[in-house]
Amino acid sequence: MRHDVVVLGAGIVGTSIAAHLQQRGRSVVLVDRRGPGEETSYGNSGVVERSALLPVAFPRSLSALADVVLKRYPGANYHWSALPALAPWLLAYWRNSAPDRLLATARLMQPLLSATLAEHRALAAKAGADGLFRDTGWLKVYRSEKAFEAEKREFPLAAEFGYQVKALTPGEASALEPNLRADFTAAVHWQDPHSVSDPGGVTKAYAGYFEALGGQVLTEDARSLRPGPSGWSLATADGPVEAREAVVALGPWSMDLLSPLGYRLPLAVKRGYHMHYRAEGNAGLSRPVLDEQGGFVITPMARGIRLTTGVEFARRDAPRTPVQVERTEKLARKLFPLGERAEAEPWMGARPIFPDSRPIIGKAPRHDNLWLAFGHQHLGFTLGPATGRLLAEIMTGEEPFIDPSPYRAERFGA
């Protein structure tokens, strides 16, 4: 089989790239060992985070760091065995978490983030997925006045970026979400984000649109890609797939393919868990709710109320340790009337992240016909369609809708 482009990875990023390239007349095959949207793109909190401001930072204060090291903060966990290999990355992450660098990163990411909602809704309309979206924003609740005041310090930056944000009393928050229990002292309603009831379903819908345009989806191991005489060759059960160009959008598995090709990029993973619950009685939610101090998000999903945990630093393929689900479930029950668990075991996924909290989107430095799109950290679902448009424009010689230079691999000396 011969194609113009093979896209490796059928998460939200790879699927969006494939759809945008197919729209532009390229012959594209999308390859993954699982179906579209069945890995990390399935398991997130379902927020299209239009109002993302500062990246998630490494703790800078001694008290916050102590809470993580001593495992007192439910939003973070780590494996001791993973820390020696992670130490250089964690040091770089700590450096990039300095306040001036966080602000610089926020400004570099803003052009891409500003397009996220429009790009998602454009693909959703074509894919018939509009019914999975809500435009109710999301709610952040705070258990202490100190944490609430820290959040309010971000309001001027939100205004600069044109975000709609409103501080709420517990009573005002209860008017938005009547089933929340008053286990907080203040809240903030970020009104710009949209959310979805099934992020994996959204990705599958985008993949269906890609196929309707003539694209092909293959269930194969994308890591079998090798350079070929006229581009790239991928081994499949039905023989090799040949393509002139290849896109690596394998998220946390990207370096499995790129390392043998000579690339050294500082990619790490932050693992995370979720569990679905039935709600007691007729209780429901209209939007995702983040308890930042509690370290969890609860989101109304097609399968029930999804509780999503914070981060776990561990080797990508290490055994699961869903202790954060156990800890945050107790806190979540104080905030919302969660009923029984709706599944036997917690889901686990891995978020790919670079130490500067920016993805790589663009040409691979060592190969003329290889393209990269991974490392979207906590914003993979949010940034998928905008990444797809940006990379497709670069690959087809169009004028990119934003400056792609902040996302080049060369910033790491690759």
Side-chain angles (χ1 to χ4, degrees), residues 357-375:
S357 298
R358 279 181 273 154
I360 285 178
I361 306 170
K363 183 181 175 298
R366 296 169 58 91
H367 297 83
D368 290 336
N369 50 2
L370 185 64
W371 304 86
L372 310 178
F374 60 94

Side-chain angles (χ1 to χ4, degrees), residues 93-393:
Y93 185 36
W94 177 80
R95 287 171 175 161
N96 280 285
S97 295
D100 59 335
R101 292 195 180 188
L102 287 177
L103 183 58
T105 299
R107 298 194 188 284
L108 290 171
M109 288 295 297
Q110 192 48 217
L112 191 62
L113 281 163
S114 67
T116 54
L117 187 53
E119 294 303 322
H120 252 293
R121 297 311 292 256
L123 269 185
K126 295 171 181 175
D130 270 332
L132 298 175
F133 282 74
R134 297 177 291 253
D135 61 358
T136 51
W138 76 329
L139 196 66
K140 296 185 181 182
V141 299
Y142 294 90
R143 297 167 181 267
S144 73
E145 190 65 26
K146 180 180 179 181
F148 178 54
E149 290 299 321
E151 177 78 354
K152 286 199 296 184
R153 286 197 289 271
E154 295 186 9
F155 286 7
L157 186 60
E160 177 185 331
F161 291 160
Y163 295 159
Q164 300 181 74
V165 57
K166 184 179 181 182
L168 304 176
T169 65
E172 291 170 330
S174 296
L176 281 181
E177 294 292 349
N179 292 297
L180 287 183
R181 293 166 171 165
D183 191 42
F184 56 93
T185 61
V188 172
H189 183 204
W190 292 86
Q191 300 168 47
D192 297 277
H194 287 197
S195 60
V196 302
S197 59
D198 185 355
V202 170
T203 307
K204 287 185 181 297
Y206 293 174
Y209 167 63
F210 161 69
E211 290 182 289
L213 293 174
Q216 185 178 6
V217 177
L218 294 181
T219 305
E220 300 283 353
D221 188 346
R223 295 172 296 181
S224 68
L225 185 78
R226 297 292 183 270
S230 57
W232 298 92
S233 180
L234 183 82
T236 77
D238 297 321
V241 170
E242 307 285 341
R244 185 178 67 252
E245 297 179 283
V247 178
V248 179
L250 289 167
W253 297 276
S254 295
M255 295 309 298
D256 291 4
L257 188 153
L258 291 172
S259 292
L261 295 176
Y263 291 90
R264 300 292 179 264
L265 296 166
L267 186 73
V269 299
K270 292 181 177 180
R271 306 200 313 181
Y273 300 84
H274 83 223
M275 172 61 73
H276 288 104
Y277 299 82
R278 296 177 179 89
E280 292 180 351
N282 295 318
L285 287 172
S286 300
R287 56 186 57 77
V289 177
L290 167 67
D291 183 337
E292 195 155 356
Q293 290 167 281
F296 66 88
V297 178
I298 50 175
T299 306
M301 292 283 184
R303 297 189 60 187
I305 301 297
R306 176 181 290 182
L307 184 152
T308 309
T309 70
V311 302
E312 179 180 71
F313 287 104
R315 294 189 301 273
R316 185 191 65 195
D317 300 324
R320 301 180 181 201
T321 50
V323 295
Q324 289 167 284
V325 173
E326 306 297 333
R327 295 182 67 190
T328 56
E329 179 182 308
K330 296 175 183 177
L331 296 170
R333 290 188 184 281
K334 296 179 181 180
L335 184 65
F336 181 84
L338 293 177
E340 62 184 5
R341 291 184 174 186
E343 49 201 348
E345 297 291 336
W347 174 91
M348 187 196 79
R351 310 175 185 103
I353 179 170
F354 289 107
D356 61 0
S357 298
R358 279 181 273 154
I360 285 178
I361 306 170
K363 183 181 175 298
R366 296 169 58 91
H367 297 83
D368 290 336
N369 50 2
L370 185 64
W371 304 86
L372 310 178
F374 60 94
H376 292 73
Q377 36 104 8
H378 299 263
L379 299 172
F381 184 75
T382 292
L383 293 170
T387 296
R389 176 183 170 184
L390 179 61
L391 189 62
E393 289 174 344

Side-chain angles (χ1 to χ4, degrees), residues 61-84:
S61 72
L62 288 177
S63 60
L65 183 59
D67 286 341
V68 172
V69 170
L70 299 175
K71 300 191 176 185
R72 293 189 299 232
Y73 173 50
N77 189 39
Y78 61 90
H79 292 187
W80 282 105
S81 60
L83 295 185

Side-chain angles (χ1 to χ4, degrees), residues 20-32:
H20 273 281
L21 286 169
Q22 195 74 30
Q23 283 182 157
R24 288 161 172 79
R26 297 298 193 266
S27 168
V28 183
V29 59
L30 178 64
V31 182
D32 204 317

